[in-house]
Amino acid sequence: MSTSVDRVLIVGGGLSGVSAAIALQREGIDVELVEREPVWGALGTGITLMGPAMRALKQLGVLEQCLAEGSGCSEMSLFNAEGELLHTLEIHGLLGLEWPAVGGMMRPTLHRILADTAVTQGVSVRTATSVSSLEQHPDRVDVELSDGSTESYDLVLGADGLRSQIRQLVFGIDAPQPRPLGQAVWRALLDRPASVTGEFQFYGPGLKTGFTPLGPDKMYEFLVQPVADDVLPPPEERPARMRELLSVFGGVVAEVRETITRPEQVDVRKLYWLLMPAPWYRGRVLLIGDAAHATTPQLAMGGAIALEDGIVLGELLASGGELEAVLEQFMERRYERCRMVVENSVQLSEWEKNAAEHEEDAGRLQSESFAALAAPI
Ligand SMILES: Cc1cc2nc3c(=O)[nH]c(=O)nc-3n(C[C@H](O)[C@H](O)[C@H](O)COP(=O)(O)OP(=O)(O)OC[C@H]3O[C@@H](n4cnc5c(N)ncnc54)[C@H](O)[C@@H]3O)c2cc1C
């Protein structure tokens, strides 16, 4: 495959796609991004930004703005189900003491900041557009887009998420499918009481809940339901169901529980995971983000590794060389790290189903994972 990558198509405008768009465009590569949704945005409540995500956002040049519009902290408090404080741990960040160790913000806000940065840098974006077909050639990929146009690119990135169409188009029947875990995660957007001073986690009988501050007045509460209901309740029944699941907790969890009343406050989804075997490319098409490695939220790292994919690819493309060699180096830098996040998250999720028996194992695996993820990318 010839050397130069001047023009890249990114399919999907989530965290991995927009990170790649910023990282490639700033290296002088001409980036086009197509997003299936008519309005380019992000749904959902809040996102927790662990150390690697904070580092990635700094590398993308948006961390200060994210913290100004979100929240940051450097300690985590652990409580029992009654709401009694067990420990307060100092969290060591990856950026030095002048930065908070972890962050939290509304997903739509994070998306807006990243999207504005990409567009300001010159990334061209087409919404309500996807790919109809791809034809690989030694020196290019010809792509027919759903708006009827046909374009040629040096490289195509499938950044189109867990149920990636590009994965299906390029890897066909060899492509693994998302696998369910039998768990669900509930998240509710709440007013933040003054007593919630940082990341709070509460351990109940077989259930874990916690708060992530999103700003001075807002936070989100997550609840991991170890064995999901067969059918998730319709939106109008979700506040009552979440309150019912939370009824085993006392203290501040019980206080805020009563404010979970509106369907639009509550998001619930079953958890799936997927790990593509290496390599994640065929010819000139590479999968990044959840399309290649979708993880569950036990380590809160899916967004971090999605952002990192774009940054690493930008660095490698900037350093030149044959495209095939660049893609091989990309796999060397990304596969093991992402495999570890996905497999350790799945293991933690399995242990959550029998939490009492695996408390120590889970603590050890979490610490080992965070230590490994602190390494440079
Ligand atoms: C319940 C839950 C909680 C989580 N919490 C956290 C957390 O706190 N912290 C964290 O770091 N991570 C978290 N994650 C993981 C994180 O959200 C994902 O890993 C991350 O968003 C993946 O980004 P992505 O860009 O690869 O995929 P996506 O975010 O899925 O983006 C894919 C984009 O592609 C578009 N698209 C799809 N198909 C097409 C197509 N055919 N053509 C064009 N466009 C297309 C979609 O509309 C979308 O915009 C969580 C995940 C879950 C499920």
Side-chain angles (χ1 to χ4, degrees), residues 10-18 34-37 40-41 46-50 53 107 111 129-131 159-166 185-187 220 267 269-272 288-291 293-297 299-306:
I10 300 178
V11 184
L15 291 178
S16 62
V18 74
V34 291
E35 165 56 48
R36 181 181 58 184
E37 297 300 321
W40 189 27
I47 183 164
T48 304
L49 303 164
M50 301 298 283
R107 271 181 189 256
H111 181 272
T129 307
S130 64
V131 167
D160 51 346
L162 178 69
R163 304 195 184 273
S164 166
Q165 177 212 9
I166 300 299
V185 168
W186 294 74
R187 287 173 299 170
Y220 81 91
D267 177 81
R269 56 190 70 199
K270 290 189 182 183
L271 296 183
Y272 292 85
I288 59 171
D290 275 14
H293 47 75
T295 187
T296 58
L299 294 170
M301 284 294 169
I305 57 176

Side-chain angles (χ1 to χ4, degrees), residues 330-347:
F330 179 82
M331 292 312 304
E332 275 165 31
R333 283 177 59 180
R334 299 307 298 157
Y335 182 75
E336 196 46 39
R337 185 174 173 88
C338 297
R339 181 203 63 74
M340 189 268 284
V341 171
V342 175
E343 291 184 354
N344 290 3
S345 301
V346 171
Q347 178 63 77

Side-chain angles (χ1 to χ4, degrees), residues 49-95:
L49 303 164
M50 301 298 283
M54 300 280 279
R55 176 172 63 188
L57 292 170
K58 183 154 188 290
Q59 285 173 289
L60 293 169
V62 297
L63 181 59
E64 281 188 16
Q65 198 183 344
C66 288
L67 287 171
E69 297 197 41
S71 174
C73 69
S74 297
E75 54 176 49
M76 179 182 288
S77 301
L78 308 180
F79 300 82
N80 63 18
E82 288 71 42
E84 292 160 359
L85 181 65
L86 303 174
H87 310 284
T88 295
L89 312 170
E90 193 184 335
I91 317 171
H92 297 285
L94 304 184
L95 298 172

Side-chain angles (χ1 to χ4, degrees), residues 45-46 182-190 207-212 220-246 260 262-263 265-271 297-298:
T45 54
Q183 277 188 318
V185 168
W186 294 74
R187 287 173 299 170
L189 183 62
L190 300 172
L207 277 184
K208 182 170 121 183
T209 186
F211 304 144
T212 292
Y220 81 91
E221 176 167 19
F222 69 86
L223 171 72
V224 182
Q225 187 185 357
V227 182
D229 299 334
D230 283 343
V231 180
L232 294 177
E236 63 278 11
E237 291 173 19
R238 290 178 186 173
R241 179 71 180 127
M242 188 169 179
R243 289 199 307 271
E244 183 192 342
L245 289 165
L246 286 168
I260 304 174
R262 290 173 290 114
Q265 256 180 301
V266 181
D267 177 81
V268 57
R269 56 190 70 199
K270 290 189 182 183
L271 296 183
Q298 275 69 16

